[in-house]
Amino acid sequence: MDNEVRMKLSEKDFEDIVTTMMPSILKYCYGIMINYYDAEDVALQAFVKTYAVLDRFENVMAVKSYIYKAAYTGCIDELRSKKRYKVLIDKYESSIKENVADNGTYINETTDNNYISDELAAALETLTPMERALVYGIAVEEKSYKELAEVFDKKEATLRKKYERARKKLKTYLTGKEME
């Protein structure tokens, strides 16, 4: 940088970013995780991760882009972790029997905030986490392929094709018919 003074974002700038972006990042994570509490954890971690490297950014748009990337990778990491955890749960199923009440129902101490129907959640489960993130970004947040290409580090054409395939999977699941 020749004679350019790098503008450093202040903590107040970051606070404003968190205030404005938290709802959309939380929804974004929820669209990938399909579990409110996990999404909330990942969203908060994305902001913490971003704050730790705040001095690297020159403008607000770069920070926002980084937050989306951090949220996406956080979701993927959490889903991988849960997958490994599920394998352990399945392997040691006998220890879960302690959580079964006398009437045979499972005792679940947490309740899940379902913001989407069970049918839609099941349909979304058929998609990969990346496909869910892509569908959410395009269908709900109305982001452009250019914006999403930056988040996913992929070409716009690649994302268009992935989105088309994800839509087809969802439609097939939800309607039981092949898309024409």
Side-chain angles (χ1 to χ4, degrees):
M1 290 200 251
D2 305 335
N3 297 334
E4 286 184 40
V5 177
R6 184 172 178 185
M7 187 177 123
K8 186 175 179 182
L9 295 172
S10 70
E11 286 189 23
K12 174 67 175 137
D13 294 333
F14 186 71
E15 185 180 321
D16 292 343
I17 291 169
V18 171
T19 302
T20 58
M21 287 190 68
M22 179 55 92
S24 61
I25 292 294
L26 183 55
K27 289 176 191 173
Y28 177 73
C29 292
Y30 179 72
I32 299 168
M33 305 292 297
I34 312 176
N35 179 295
Y36 180 80
Y37 297 110
D38 291 343
E40 191 174 45
D41 289 345
V42 172
L44 290 172
Q45 289 170 9
F47 285 106
V48 169
K49 183 178 179 182
T50 304
Y51 183 76
V53 294
L54 190 59
D55 60 336
R56 293 184 190 175
F57 303 105
E58 295 181 22
N59 61 52
V60 172
M61 288 308 294
V63 174
K64 289 180 176 182
S65 179
Y66 185 85
I67 291 169
Y68 270 99
K69 285 181 184 180
Y72 173 72
T73 57
C75 288
I76 298 301
D77 291 346
E78 183 69 17
L79 288 170
R80 284 183 187 141
S81 174
K82 288 215 175 280
K83 188 175 183 180
R84 284 191 296 269
Y85 181 71
K86 183 174 177 355
V87 169
L88 288 173
I89 292 280
D90 291 345
K91 188 174 181 182
Y92 299 105
E93 193 173 327
S94 62
S95 65
I96 293 178
K97 291 180 181 175
E98 297 170 10
N99 292 327
V100 176
D102 292 336
N103 65 1
T105 59
Y106 183 73
I107 301 168
N108 185 359
E109 295 185 14
T110 63
T111 57
D112 193 14
N113 287 345
N114 289 324
Y115 294 106
I116 58 176
S117 70
D118 290 341
E119 183 181 20
L120 182 56
L124 289 170
E125 291 273 345
T126 66
L127 302 178
T128 66
M130 183 190 183
E131 289 171 333
R132 287 195 299 256
L134 187 58
V135 166
Y136 185 84
I138 292 170
V140 178
E141 293 193 335
E142 300 177 345
K143 292 200 176 288
S144 69
Y145 287 106
K146 184 178 181 179
E147 291 172 302
L148 293 171
E150 190 175 315
V151 171
F152 294 117
D153 291 325
K154 305 248 186 236
K155 294 180 182 177
E156 290 179 48
T158 303
L159 294 179
R160 277 190 189 88
K161 193 64 177 174
K162 285 184 180 291
Y163 178 68
E164 182 181 309
R165 289 180 185 143
R167 279 190 53 214
K168 186 175 182 177
K169 279 186 194 178
L170 285 173
K171 184 161 186 162
T172 300
Y173 183 89
L174 291 171
T175 65
K177 301 178 200 172
E178 282 297 316
M179 202 166 128
E180 298 170 1

